[in-house]
Amino acid sequence: EETVTMTVTYTEYQPHVGDQDALKLTVAGAVQETGQVLAKELLVRLHTPELTLTLLGPAVVGQEVPIQVVFQNPLPEPLTGASLRMEGAGIACPKPVSL
């Protein structure tokens, strides 16, 4: 029995992920003495960062409510073309906020 550790860096898998939130990893090996081929697949779900919403003032009927949205970019590169849109019961944000 032997354990082998392999690392997949972000720069290796980033060009292949696109809008997907998962990686499909396949490992294969061969036993020289028997010619037997072994293979195993693993689907790895990538964790997407959470948005944190915080009220910055009192919620009063008929008045605007300031809300802080916090998002931490986990990637080693800046995000471009990001936008936020808020919706809810009786709330509509027809124009996304560009970041």
Side-chain angles (χ1 to χ4, degrees):
E1 181 177 317
E2 186 174 339
T3 300
V4 177
T5 301
M6 301 174 80
T7 301
V8 181
T9 65
Y10 174 71
T11 54
E12 289 176 303
Y13 72 78
Q14 184 270 336
H16 308 287
V17 174
D19 291 338
Q20 303 297 317
D21 61 354
L23 296 175
K24 185 177 180 181
L25 304 174
T26 304
V27 64
V31 179
Q32 290 180 349
E33 293 80 7
T34 64
Q36 182 181 16
V37 176
L38 308 165
K40 180 75 174 179
E41 286 187 350
L42 176 66
L43 184 64
V44 178
R45 307 251 333 143
L46 300 173
H47 295 283
T48 54
E50 293 186 22
L51 293 174
T52 302
L53 304 173
T54 306
L55 287 177
L56 297 179
V60 179
V61 175
Q63 295 183 10
E64 291 184 359
V65 178
I67 298 173
Q68 177 186 50
V69 179
V70 177
F71 167 82
Q72 184 172 349
N73 178 9
L75 303 175
E77 61 186 45
L79 296 177
T80 58
S83 64
L84 293 174
R85 179 187 308 266
M86 182 171 48
E87 298 177 5
I91 300 171
C93 183
K95 185 170 74 171
V97 175
S98 297
L99 307 171

